[in-house]
Amino acid sequence: MTKGPIIDTLILHHLAEPDLQRHHDLGFACHDLLVVDAWKEEFRETEDEVFGRAQSRKDVIEAANREELRIDALKAALAARRALRGAIPINKEALKALKKTFRESRTAWKSAKKRLCRSRAALLAIDDMEDSLLEYNGRDAQATANLANSLFPRTNGAMARVREVEHQLLPLAITMFEKGMPVDEGARVILAKELTETMASSLETLSRLSEIKWGDGGNEKNPKSPGDRKWLLYDFLSLPVRVRTEKKGEPATGSDAMLPHLSDPTVKALFDYDSAHKLFSTFVEKLEVDSNGRVHYSWMVGAQVTGRWSSSPSAQNIHPKVRKIFVAPQGYVLVGADFAQLEARIIAALSQCGAMINAFKRCEDIHSVNAAAIFGEAFSNETNKERRKALRDLGKMVVHASDYGAGAPTITNNILTDPEVDPIIRGLVTEVRVREILREFERKFPEVPKWRLAQERQARNDGWLSTEPLGRTRVFPRPKDIESTVCFNWPIQSAASDIMNLSLLKIVERIQPDEEILGNFHDATMVLTREGRAETVKTILEESMRGEFFGVPLAAEAKIAKSWSEVF
């Protein structure tokens, strides 16, 4: 209905103020950058007063959410047109259609009110809200337009290309939300059974080892009760307190407190129960699947300080065990592609590390190259495949953790306490050995630590950093207070984000209209397509994600499968 490009003030505010991670909402941005009244706070107070007169608060909320919000946009457009006196251009035909739709929706809304509200008080409450909603949405639209005028100039220059790319991806994010991701109910039932059995087995083990019945009954120890957990860990087992709660400083009973003690079978049983219960409650009980068997994730372009996407609920951090419930429907398959060692390639490119660049050009496994450089003959001459793999993975973990600023003590503790880490690797780890790995890596690849120091000096001296391929820039309000890690990790993550964004644009251009991109999973993506198009889409993904970054080749391998768990 509007002329010209879509402008998303949320994206603009993220670009202009990336460090305000929890303050990118319209209300805060307007109060921070514009001279406006606090209309959102005022509306919340009015809303509470109105709801307080209703006998059925739940009915009013459900009605407002399901029906009133359907015509909010129409009200906002009409109110904004009056308020801005034409600042939002709407052609006459579109405006005529808009008013017609408004009248039809209003009729439907009146009918819905009578159908949904169980009491006259609730009906009157909604009637009282209509004028408030109309004014509220008008002010919302007006403030949004003014905010765009304020923010747009701040994202010119170096950030203009970033702004352009992220806005081009908005339709994709909206489509991904509307289409959703397919869930197989049969696979979900199987997952529920597996998790239920794991929880039951863990409770049986707890009962046997502690000689006290565990369960969720009234006369049993409850694994979800902080008091019962505290008794088990610190009274029954007499474990040393290594982690305390932030607020009261009491002995903690969560996963962080248990990780150092997983060698104890009782602690392991409680930890396994927690893990299974979390997956069960999140992906069996609370997962909202619509009537078409789809889960709708709300995708936010560039929502992280690095430019990475986020989603609500989080689709990027879904446990591998749960991915098997996301299955292509009959006649369709999933085609997924994951960048090969993207962060390592970016480090090689930004630091211009010759040894790493040459390894990538020769299509060598960079983690094996690192292991050979770090461990020498201990890796090169190792004939035991499992031990050789363990050395490779150990070097990978240590180097990767150092990219996030972790030192030897932290890296050592993380590896030793991570239940997912191969026991062979844990057997190789000591703090002394981790220090040796870090020292040897810096000696064999000196360009990397030099680049890190250069980034830190620039950030502290100039107060800003930028990274390619789009020129994304970050200005630091207090340069002297920047953490060293941020100075070299932000460019890596931001470059990865923008490389992925550019690849998504290429994919969108080449796939067919009925093919669905299901998500942006950091360095990976996935497309739902017909079985007969699978190989073609596989080629499209690999070609779209292939390229070069400052002399370093970029590569991705795509896979075809029925479930997400088989793709990546």
Side-chain angles (χ1 to χ4, degrees), residues 283-354:
F283 296 102
V284 176
E285 289 184 323
K286 297 179 182 178
L287 191 66
E288 296 184 6
V289 183
D290 69 13
S291 58
N292 295 317
R294 297 283 185 123
V295 177
H296 298 269
Y297 292 94
S298 178
W299 294 90
M300 289 152 278
V301 180
Q304 303 298 322
V305 69
T306 57
R308 295 278 197 184
W309 290 34
S310 67
S311 63
S312 179
S314 177
Q316 290 99 329
N317 298 318
I318 291 179
H319 194 279
K321 184 180 291 186
V322 177
R323 292 179 184 176
K324 60 187 177 184
I325 74 173
F326 295 90
V327 180
Q330 187 174 1
Y332 289 80
V333 291
L334 300 176
V335 184
D338 191 357
F339 273 107
Q341 303 160 340
L342 182 58
E343 290 185 19
R345 292 172 190 265
I346 291 171
I347 293 171
L350 295 180
S351 68
Q352 284 296 289
C353 178

Side-chain angles (χ1 to χ4, degrees), residues 169 171-184 290 292-300 309-318 323-329 332-337 500 503-504 507-508 511-522 524-530 537 541 545 559-568:
L169 288 166
L172 172 61
I174 294 169
T175 301
M176 290 194 306
F177 166 72
E178 291 176 343
K179 297 288 187 180
M181 292 177 61
V183 171
D184 183 89
D290 69 13
N292 295 317
R294 297 283 185 123
V295 177
H296 298 269
Y297 292 94
S298 178
W299 294 90
M300 289 152 278
W309 290 34
S310 67
S311 63
S312 179
S314 177
Q316 290 99 329
N317 298 318
I318 291 179
R323 292 179 184 176
K324 60 187 177 184
I325 74 173
F326 295 90
V327 180
Y332 289 80
V333 291
L334 300 176
V335 184
M500 187 69 216
S503 297
L504 285 172
I507 295 169
V508 170
I511 62 174
Q512 295 184 350
D514 64 336
E515 292 171 334
E516 304 172 22
I517 297 178
L518 298 180
N520 176 354
F521 308 102
H522 294 317
T525 189
M526 187 164 57
V527 176
L528 178 68
T529 185
R530 300 183 305 279
V537 173
L541 263 60
M545 297 169 74
K559 294 181 181 179
I560 303 169
K562 288 295 290 184
S563 76
W564 182 4
S565 62
E566 300 171 292
V567 174
F568 54 77

Side-chain angles (χ1 to χ4, degrees), residues 9 132 136 201 247 274 321 335 338-339 345 367 415 504 535 553:
T9 54
S132 299
Y136 173 79
S201 174
K247 290 185 177 180
D274 285 354
K321 184 180 291 186
V335 184
D338 191 357
F339 273 107
R345 292 172 190 265
H367 302 306
I415 293 175
L504 285 172
E535 289 294 337

Side-chain angles (χ1 to χ4, degrees), residues 468-479:
E468 297 298 334
L470 296 180
R472 185 182 293 273
T473 303
R474 181 177 179 184
V475 177
F476 298 97
R478 294 181 296 276

